[in-house]
Amino acid sequence: MSATRQTGFARLRLRQGRMGRRIAIGVAYFVSTGLTSAADREMTKEYLTCLDKASGVTVEMITCISAETKRQDVRLNENYNKLGSKLSANRKKALLEAQRAWIKFRDANCRFYYDPEGGSSARVAADECLLNATADRVRELKLLATDQ
C-alpha cells in the first residue's frame, strides 16, 4: 500500500473519530440539559398527584398534562406581565416580538412530536412537549423579571 493511500486512511479514521466524539458530546449535552430542565421545572402538586392517579393510563395522563399546561399558561402570563411592567417601551416591544416568536417555535416544534402514525404515545409526547416548553418559558421569564 502506498504512503499516500495510508495517509488517506489515517485521515479518514481521524475524521471518523472526531465525528464520533462530536456525536457523543452532542448526545451527552442534550441528555444532561433535558434532565436539568426537568429538575428545574416547577410543576404543581395537582399535576404530580394527577399523574400518580393516572397509573400510566394514556387518556388520564393526557387529561393531567392538559390541566397542568393551562396552569402553566396562567403562570406564563403572570410572569410575562411582571417582566413587562419593569421594562421601557422599547424593551416591551422587543419582549412582545420575542414572545410571539417563542410561541410560533413552541407550537411548530411540538406539532412535530405529534406523529399521526405514532398512536396515543405520540399524542402524549406532543402534549408533554407543550407543557415542558411552557414551564421552561415560565422559569425563564421569572428569572428575567427578577434580574430587572
Side-chain angles (χ1 to χ4, degrees):
M1 192 178 301
S2 72
T4 306
R5 187 174 234 176
Q6 285 178 337
T7 305
F9 285 130
R11 276 191 235 142
L12 179 61
R13 278 187 286 202
L14 182 60
R15 271 188 268 170
Q16 288 173 338
R18 286 181 188 156
M19 182 61 90
R21 281 192 298 273
R22 287 180 187 151
I23 290 171
I25 289 168
V27 167
Y29 171 77
F30 286 113
V31 167
S32 68
T33 56
L35 295 174
T36 301
S37 295
D40 292 337
R41 290 186 187 111
E42 295 178 20
M43 301 298 181
T44 64
K45 288 181 184 178
E46 294 89 350
Y47 174 64
L48 300 174
T49 301
C50 185
L51 277 184
D52 283 341
K53 289 180 182 177
S55 300
V57 176
T58 304
V59 174
E60 299 296 325
M61 291 171 62
I62 290 170
T63 300
C64 298
I65 294 167
S66 296
E68 183 66 8
T69 300
K70 289 175 185 167
R71 287 189 288 269
Q72 291 294 329
D73 194 52
V74 168
R75 292 183 64 223
L76 178 80
N77 290 321
E78 289 170 354
N79 284 284
Y80 176 87
N81 290 329
K82 182 178 178 182
L83 175 59
S85 71
K86 297 179 177 187
L87 300 175
S88 67
N90 284 340
R91 296 286 291 149
K92 279 184 190 179
K93 185 177 177 184
L95 176 62
L96 177 62
E97 289 175 20
Q99 189 67 8
R100 286 178 176 165
W102 174 81
I103 290 168
K104 277 183 150 179
F105 167 77
R106 178 200 63 184
D107 292 350
N109 189 52
C110 293
R111 267 193 307 272
F112 174 75
Y113 279 80
Y114 182 71
D115 178 1
E117 297 173 12
S120 59
S121 63
R123 168 78 190 275
V124 171
D127 289 357
E128 281 184 324
C129 176
L130 281 170
L131 171 57
N132 292 333
T134 303
D136 288 345
R137 184 65 174 167
V138 167
R139 182 173 179 270
E140 181 180 19
L141 293 174
K142 188 176 180 179
L143 288 171
L144 287 168
T146 304
D147 289 344
Q148 297 300 312

